[in-house]
Amino acid sequence: MNSVQGAAPTSDLTSASYHDDHLLHRLYALQQQFQHIPASSIGALAAELCLPLAQVEAVIDFYSFFHRTARGRVDLLFSNCTSCGDLSLMHDLCQRLGVVPEQTRADGAVSIGEASCIGMCDQGPALLANGRTLTQLTPLRLEQIAERIEASTPIEQWPAEWFHVHDNVRKNGLLLGTTFSTGSALVAALEKGAQTMLDEIIASGLRGRGGAGFSTGMKWKFCREATGDAHYVVCNADEGEPGTFKDRILLSSHAHAVFEGMTLCGYVIGAKKGYMYLRGEYRYMLPELLAVLERRRKLKLLGTAILGQSDFDFEIEIIVGAGAYICGEESALIESMEQKGGVPRVRPPFPVTQGFLAQPTVVNNVETLAAAAHIAVHGGGWFNAHGSDKSDGSKILSVSGDCTTPGVYEYPFGTSIQRILDDCGAEHVQAIQVGGPSGTLIAPAEFERKLAFEDLATGGSFMIYGAQRDLLHVIQNFAHFFAHESCGFCTPCRVGTTLLKNGVDKIATGHGTQYDVDELRRMAALVKRRSHCGLGQTAPNPILDLLQRFPQAFEDRLVHSDFEPHFDLDKSLQEARRLTHRDDAEAHL
Amino acid sequence: MSKTIKIDGVDVPFEDGQTIMDAALAADIYIPHLCHKPGLSPHGSCKLCTVDVDGRAVSSCTMPASEGQQIANNTPALKEVRKTIIQMLFIEGNHLCPSCEKTGDCTLQALAYHHDMLDGHFPQFYPRRNVDASHPTLIIDRDRCILCELCVRASREVDGKNVFAIAGRGIKRQLIVNSPSGKLADSDIETEDLASHICPVGAILIKDHGYEVPIGRRTFDLHSIAETDLEQVILKKTVHHDA
């Protein structure tokens, strides 16, 4: 435990696996204590952490959960995801408490705002209260919350059951249905040796579960062969794609398998240090994850001389993010680990040769690492006996939206979309967003398509939209999401996602013409093809998919004239009317 | 026999370690660029140097050249893409060329000329951005900043300082100064630093020097941005300005 005393408060978590000398952790502690990052604390913090002032300033402004001005003593962030968000509840609560969204109430007691998907899509509507997760919100619950805020009851004294997060596992498969015996993968690894274990992972056909689908074994092989002062394993637990929550279950109920997968990878590639990058929205799991690591240390499955093997040392540290979807991109995640804003790096070089601290680094998804641990025990053949031709094994899905039983479902690759809809009780389905906003929007004609890398790939998100949903509104939500989450590094994405957002807004509010649709299509193509990283390259997908599959959703809203201006002339006179205290007919157009 | 890549059908030799941009510049082939300057580490953020390599879009300033690459550069389609990117850079900031001291010497403006850009096309964003006039000899006008990070890199890589950084996310990204007050006056920047002169637009200007070269006789009034040996011309000129 780092015990440096400094300008900023340190956390009360004492663990060998959570370090107070990480900028993100110190800023979190400041935000918790003062409801913002006081300008007066920044200089001392930068000096203490030996970081340039500007780097600290830049980081504060990059992450959504850090603020320059004080939020309320209770800071509520409603998810704005189409599955776990309900902004009408937010507006009701704002009205009840006399709060303007994103503005702290004058007495400092409360502030209310929005957050991108917080990963509670199976039990929404949900919000974060000072970073803690509240699910299954109802008008009654919000009334109770309002009462406690007005009574100045600290969040720590709110009923514990309000903060309960359910696993909601609906269907077990290859991974979730197979009991993992703690330590078994490492025992197997030590028996077989690193090279044989690597061959086993390659032979299994395991591909990255984050969505990109790169061969896990080959990634490990490239990293193992790369030279460097040190090698690192990184577990990407920054599950931010709206509609995805399957890693939440793996972390809450299968953490041993995940950590063991990391340790196994360390053994294979010759790394002595691993990091789990946990999304800030999942911070509530941190104490339990640290406890699991402590148990593993006691079991000699972590630390020095693992399982008595004198040359097998491996430590795991957890770094918690602070609200930035882009940090799910592996090189942005590494930047964030290095205490910077999450801006994706230029590639090549890839992380396997130059990753964390410019050293060879494997970045794997939570599910990938859990799968690797199982493969170490049961063998590659056990794994690839399941799945489709080009996609071996199973996929854990986060099913949400308009269905009777949202939750976690595990299927072998090759399963049809219709089968999944039948299992989760989805009827009168209008469309499904497979793989989240960055994935593919499909129409009923495609429900016989298969879940597979070669057909419909997904990192785990599966959002169902029933007949009553306004699909243009859904796509508008996604356009806002990407504009909010773009890191801003490259021109096409920085400016383009905002232009796309404005374009969809214009059409959705009934001011768009065919010209605006054509413009949207042209900008979408440019952003998709010319952006720096996966965020920009996929951000236009929902718009392009909707244009292709549901052109009527746009057509229905269009004004049938050649041109409509982007601004409303009468509305733009509002300020003049206010200044002149006029609201008579002649002051309007 | 040296290795070659093909740019618009022309064989271009390259050495290992060179990017497509390096090879093109050495062969006097112009690939439009804004955030790239030889001598500083490549950045790949403006995306004006986007080219199609075997059908795939890449930034030529960061993509290593490799044997046999078939590169499309000066095509009508890419010219249209680049023009749109330039328009995006114009409308996200507040660029008023006629009243800007950098007019005629501005790379963004020159690129717009080169791509026959006649207007910003998109609705203006009209962002509110701060001016920093605190420094005795330098001024930052963020209205014109295009986030190319040339000043950031020049300060770190050439001047051996760390005066600038980019803060914030997405459309709110902005140039900040690494000093206790966040003001340029409190930083260790000096007028002679490369970072003081490298701005391709009018976001960082030298004070007390205005309109010494009449409009009509400035760099891009006399030269096209497509002249590949211009980098030195532009740098010398700005140095000369405050000599």
Side-chain angles (χ1 to χ4, degrees):
Chain A
M1 186 72 196
N2 187 307
S3 60
V4 178
Q5 295 297 308
T10 53
S11 79
D12 48 7
L13 274 165
T14 46
S15 167
S17 294
Y18 181 83
H19 291 182
D20 263 333
D21 56 1
H22 195 282
L23 177 59
L24 290 183
H25 297 171
R26 290 302 282 279
L27 290 174
Y28 168 79
L30 278 168
Q31 177 70 40
Q32 284 292 304
Q33 182 166 351
F34 301 106
Q35 291 84 49
H36 71 299
I37 312 297
S40 57
S41 66
I42 295 171
L45 181 60
E48 186 196 324
L49 298 181
C50 300
L51 295 172
L53 256 178
Q55 185 173 336
V56 177
E57 300 277 3
V59 165
I60 294 169
D61 288 340
F62 191 89
Y63 295 89
S64 294
F65 294 164
F66 302 139
H67 300 275
R68 294 286 186 169
T69 54
R71 302 290 285 192
R73 287 186 291 281
V74 174
D75 182 30
L76 302 179
L77 297 177
F78 282 76
S79 168
N80 59 21
C81 156
T82 61
S83 285
C84 65
D86 184 347
L87 294 183
S88 68
L89 288 177
M90 179 185 91
H91 291 300
D92 289 349
L93 187 66
C94 280
Q95 202 154 31
R96 191 191 156 97
L97 289 168
V99 172
V100 178
E102 308 296 350
Q103 285 180 29
T104 305
R105 203 168 73 175
D107 63 357
V110 57
S111 55
I112 297 174
E114 296 180 28
S116 298
C117 177
I118 64 171
M120 297 293 149
C121 309
D122 52 334
Q123 48 203 301
L127 61 76
L128 295 171
N130 291 4
R132 297 181 61 188
T133 307
L134 279 100
T135 62
Q136 294 178 298
L137 299 175
T138 58
L140 173 67
R141 177 57 43 81
L142 289 172
E143 209 167 292
Q144 295 165 325
I145 289 173
E147 283 163 11
R148 279 166 176 79
I149 290 170
E150 294 296 22
S152 301
T153 311
I155 286 179
E156 294 70 34
Q157 291 167 28
W158 294 7
E161 66 267 23
W162 290 8
F163 299 94
H164 194 74
V165 177
H166 298 271
D167 268 5
N168 292 334
V169 175
R170 310 289 186 190
K171 189 176 179 309
N172 281 327
L174 195 58
L175 299 182
L176 297 174
T178 305
T179 307
F180 180 76
S181 168
T182 303
S184 57
L186 296 181
V187 170
L190 289 175
E191 266 171 26
K192 292 179 185 162
Q195 183 61 52
T196 311
M197 193 46 75
L198 176 61
D199 295 340
E200 195 73 46
I201 300 288
I202 294 174
S204 75
L206 175 62
R207 293 165 66 175
R209 267 27 182 175
F214 190 79
S215 159
T216 304
M218 293 311 287
K219 191 183 262 191
W220 290 17
K221 180 172 183 282
F222 292 144
C223 190
R224 177 178 156 90
E225 288 167 357
T227 52
D229 299 333
H231 287 57
Y232 295 103
V233 181
V234 176
C235 173
N236 183 347
D238 193 47
E239 179 176 59
E241 187 71 38
T244 316
F245 50 87
K246 49 100 188 164
D247 290 344
R248 193 189 80 213
I249 280 77
L250 289 170
L251 294 167
S252 69
S253 299
H254 304 270
H256 274 292
V258 177
F259 288 133
E260 194 139 333
M262 292 176 70
T263 315
L264 173 77
C265 177
Y267 178 71
V268 169
I269 68 167
K272 300 207 175 304
K273 189 76 193 265
Y275 292 87
M276 173 178 281
Y277 187 93
L278 182 70
R279 70 184 306 219
E281 294 81 349
Y282 288 171
R283 181 177 272 276
Y284 73 92
M285 285 196 264
L286 182 61
E288 183 50 33
L289 289 170
L290 292 173
V292 171
L293 286 173
E294 203 45 55
R295 284 200 284 283
R296 293 185 65 79
R297 224 169 258 121
K298 291 209 173 88
L299 291 167
K300 298 297 278 176
L301 298 171
L302 199 63
T304 50
I306 289 174
L307 292 173
Q309 199 80 8
S310 61
D311 58 348
F312 186 11
D313 302 341
F314 194 74
E315 257 307 336
I316 294 177
E317 195 178 317
I318 299 178
I319 296 173
V320 187
Y325 166 73
I326 186 60
C327 291
E329 196 279 343
E330 62 177 5
S331 66
L333 185 150
I334 290 170
E335 288 282 299
S336 184
M337 287 173 59
E338 293 180 3
Q339 314 186 83
K340 292 178 270 185
V343 173
R345 293 177 176 175
V346 169
R347 305 192 300 177
F350 291 90
V352 284
T353 55
Q354 282 184 51
F356 184 54
L357 305 177
Q359 300 304 317
T361 304
V362 163
V363 183
N364 276 154
N365 178 265
V366 171
E367 185 183 344
T368 311
L369 290 162
H374 278 282
I375 291 165
V377 178
H378 303 288
W382 166 83
F383 188 75
N384 62 27
H386 301 78
S388 67
D389 281 353
K390 288 178 183 157
S391 310
D392 293 307
S394 64
K395 184 74 194 85
I396 304 179
L397 290 184
S398 322
V399 176
S400 71
D402 301 324
C403 61
T404 52
T405 48
V408 167
Y409 294 72
E410 184 179 4
Y411 290 100
F413 274 117
T415 302
S416 79
I417 300 302
Q418 188 58 52
R419 166 77 200 281
I420 300 165
L421 293 175
D422 293 342
D423 287 354
C424 70
E427 288 176 350
H428 310 297
V429 176
Q430 184 182 188
I432 309 168
Q433 189 73 37
V434 182
S438 72
T440 315
L441 179 75
I442 60 167
E446 302 167 86
F447 289 176
E448 285 309 320
R449 289 180 68 178
K450 306 276 191 278
L451 183 69
F453 289 111
E454 64 271 25
D455 192 352
L456 279 170
T458 169
S461 179
F462 192 95
M463 301 157 97
I464 303 165
Y465 298 108
Q468 78 292 355
R469 291 262 195 162
D470 174 357
L471 288 183
L472 186 61
H473 187 70
V474 169
I475 263 56
Q476 187 184 14
N477 177 293
F478 296 162
H480 280 250
F481 168 77
F482 285 117
H484 182 255
E485 298 295 343
S486 167
C487 83
F489 172 76
C490 74
T491 316
C493 180
R494 181 181 67 245
V495 186
T497 52
T498 292
L499 285 171
L500 289 174
K501 179 190 80 162
N502 294 348
V504 176
D505 281 351
K506 188 181 176 192
I507 294 166
T509 52
H511 298 288
T513 64
Q514 187 57 44
Y515 171 84
D516 294 296
V517 176
D518 296 342
E519 280 287 286
L520 209 52
R521 202 188 296 271
R522 186 171 77 94
M523 183 49 59
L526 185 145
V527 174
K528 185 176 171 67
R529 189 158 163 75
R530 304 294 162 183
S531 289
H532 176 65
C533 80
L535 190 153
Q537 288 159 13
T538 57
N541 285 352
I543 294 169
L544 292 169
D545 286 347
L546 194 69
L547 280 168
Q548 190 196 335
R549 292 170 168 94
F550 302 91
Q552 204 61 32
F554 285 96
E555 183 64 27
D556 290 346
R557 304 292 176 89
L558 297 186
V559 181
H560 290 280
S561 63
D562 289 339
F563 179 76
E564 274 272 308
H566 257 271
F567 64 93
D568 178 339
L569 194 51
D570 185 63
K571 205 172 149 194
S572 52
L573 289 172
Q574 185 58 34
E575 191 176 3
R577 280 193 292 267
R578 190 175 55 79
L579 289 170
T580 53
H581 304 290
R582 281 185 60 181
D583 202 19
D584 54 289
E586 292 209 332
H588 288 272
L589 285 175
Chain B
M1 182 74 193
S2 69
K3 299 179 183 178
T4 58
I5 53 178
K6 229 184 228 313
I7 302 181
D8 294 331
V10 177
D11 282 321
V12 176
F14 74 94
E15 289 162 20
D16 284 334
Q18 281 191 315
T19 61
I20 294 171
M21 179 69 79
D22 294 334
L25 286 173
D28 220 17
I29 290 175
Y30 179 64
I31 302 176
H33 56 277
L34 192 47
C35 72
H36 181 69
K37 187 147 309 227
L40 296 177
S41 60
H43 201 238
S45 65
C46 76
K47 297 299 172 200
L48 276 176
C49 73
T50 184
V51 290
D52 292 330
V53 178
D54 303 317
R56 199 164 71 91
V58 304
S59 303
S60 43
C61 70
T62 56
M63 179 55 72
S66 73
E67 183 64 42
Q69 283 170 332
Q70 300 276 342
I71 299 160
N73 169 40
N74 192 15
T75 67
L78 275 168
K79 199 166 175 187
E80 189 60 32
V81 163
R82 291 174 184 143
K83 183 169 95 177
T84 305
I85 292 174
I86 297 163
Q87 288 169 326
M88 291 161 82
L89 286 166
F90 266 97
I91 62 100
E92 74 161 330
N94 298 308
H95 296 275
L96 303 162
C97 298
S99 63
C100 178
E101 150 58 19
K102 201 66 179 265
T103 190
D105 287 328
C106 168
T107 313
L108 180 67
Q109 188 191 40
L111 278 159
Y113 291 153
H114 183 72
H115 288 86
D116 301 323
M117 184 188 122
L118 299 176
D119 65 3
H121 184 78
F122 303 105
Q124 295 278 338
F125 287 2
Y126 292 125
R128 267 173 190 270
R129 295 182 182 170
N130 295 326
V131 170
D132 178 352
S134 63
H135 195 274
T137 62
L138 299 167
I139 183 165
I140 303 178
D141 185 343
R142 292 187 176 86
D143 275 343
R144 301 163 183 164
C145 178
I146 53 170
L147 305 165
C148 67
E149 300 191 37
L150 278 170
C151 58
V152 177
R153 285 173 281 157
S155 180
R156 293 179 191 175
E157 296 171 17
V158 177
D159 302 334
K161 301 177 183 178
N162 183 16
V163 174
F164 297 107
I166 304 290
R169 190 169 87 195
I171 205 67
K172 292 181 183 155
R173 259 171 109 67
Q174 60 155 336
L175 181 67
I176 63 168
V177 175
N178 187 32
S179 71
S181 64
K183 296 284 186 198
L184 204 52
D186 292 334
S187 76
D188 55 355
I189 196 166
E190 290 163 285
T191 321
E192 308 73 54
D193 291 350
L194 182 60
S196 306
H197 301 274
I198 202 164
C199 183
V201 292
I204 302 175
L205 291 174
I206 312 290
K207 282 183 177 173
D208 300 328
H209 291 268
Y211 296 92
E212 283 158 348
V213 179
I215 291 172
R217 284 173 36 205
R218 297 182 169 197
T219 309
F220 299 114
D221 299 325
L222 307 174
H223 300 271
S224 158
I225 185 80
E227 295 171 34
T228 51
D229 56 353
L230 269 182
E231 302 292 351
Q232 287 315 308
V233 176
I234 296 164
L235 268 183
K236 266 188 210 137
K237 191 178 164 72
T238 45
V239 171
H240 167 77
H241 260 227
D242 38 84

